[in-house]
Amino acid sequence: MSRIVTPPVESASGATAELFSQISKAAGRVPNAYAAIGAHNPAALKAILQADSVPGTLSRQEKEVIKLAVSSASGCDYCQAAHFLVGKLAGVPQETLKQVIADQSTGNVRFDALTRFVRKLASNPGTLADEAFTDIKSAGFSDAEIVEIGLVVSVITFTNIFNRVNDTAIDFPQIP
């Protein structure tokens, strides 16, 4: 059971109910993490949803690889389960998702560069080493895409932290 008491989604009103309705329409339900965040701070939930939908050039698959790699590096079991499923729905092969979690080569140059890059960001304080920057650029990522990568990392880092603090009950299938 999660640490933060979360009222039932059906009891939400006002801005929270509106957000929950939008999430339900898009996803079929309101995941436990969003329910807890929205129940206690709808503006925070709205902000992460908006940040997550900022247009860019990274593919949906690349964004899911980023989210899964960061979640794996941070040890957020909730986000790993969520983004394993969403990654599969986005068309990332299950074996590739397992390799991202295990920090193994996937054979996809862009996925591997993303995984290395975001794991370094998630695991090392201070300014990123020149080699890491050169590596992501060598894989073909533009400066604009690097900005986008930073935004995706920021959003998933917030949900990782929230779910680790809350010990959010996982409402996604187990990773096979």
Side-chain angles (χ1 to χ4, degrees):
M1 177 173 276
S2 301
R3 293 175 177 150
I4 296 174
V5 176
T6 304
V9 169
E10 305 78 37
S11 69
S13 61
T16 302
E18 289 176 34
L19 286 169
F20 288 174
S21 175
Q22 292 168 8
I23 294 166
S24 289
K25 283 179 189 170
R29 66 182 179 84
V30 178
N32 288 344
Y34 287 173
I37 295 166
H40 296 285
N41 192 329
L45 179 58
K46 183 177 181 178
I48 64 168
L49 292 172
Q50 287 175 331
D52 207 31
S53 65
V54 169
T57 58
L58 293 176
S59 71
R60 188 167 165 228
Q61 292 180 343
E62 289 168 335
K63 289 179 183 181
E64 290 306 319
V65 165
I66 293 167
K67 292 174 182 179
L68 190 57
V70 171
S71 298
S72 176
S74 77
C76 181
D77 54 354
Y78 184 93
C79 290
Q80 285 181 73
H83 293 288
F84 191 90
L85 174 64
V86 177
K88 276 179 33 181
L89 294 173
V92 181
Q94 183 170 306
E95 187 60 31
T96 299
L97 296 167
K98 288 180 180 180
Q99 291 163 328
V100 169
I101 290 171
D103 198 15
Q104 298 172 343
S105 174
T106 66
N108 179 311
V109 172
R110 284 180 67 92
F111 288 176
D112 291 348
L114 282 170
T115 299
R116 285 189 305 272
F117 186 70
V118 301
R119 280 181 173 272
K120 286 178 182 161
L121 287 173
S123 304
N124 299 302
T127 301
L128 187 69
D130 288 339
E131 299 81 37
F133 184 77
T134 301
D135 183 44
I136 196 75
K137 293 291 284 187
S138 295
F141 288 93
S142 69
D143 292 342
E145 287 173 318
I146 292 171
V147 171
E148 191 176 349
I149 292 165
L151 181 60
V152 175
V153 169
S154 297
V155 172
I156 195 63
T157 299
F158 170 78
T159 56
N160 283 182
I161 290 168
F162 176 80
N163 290 313
R164 289 171 51 218
V165 168
N166 187 35
D167 194 18
T168 307
I170 299 172
D171 52 347
F172 291 93
Q174 276 190 309
I175 297 171

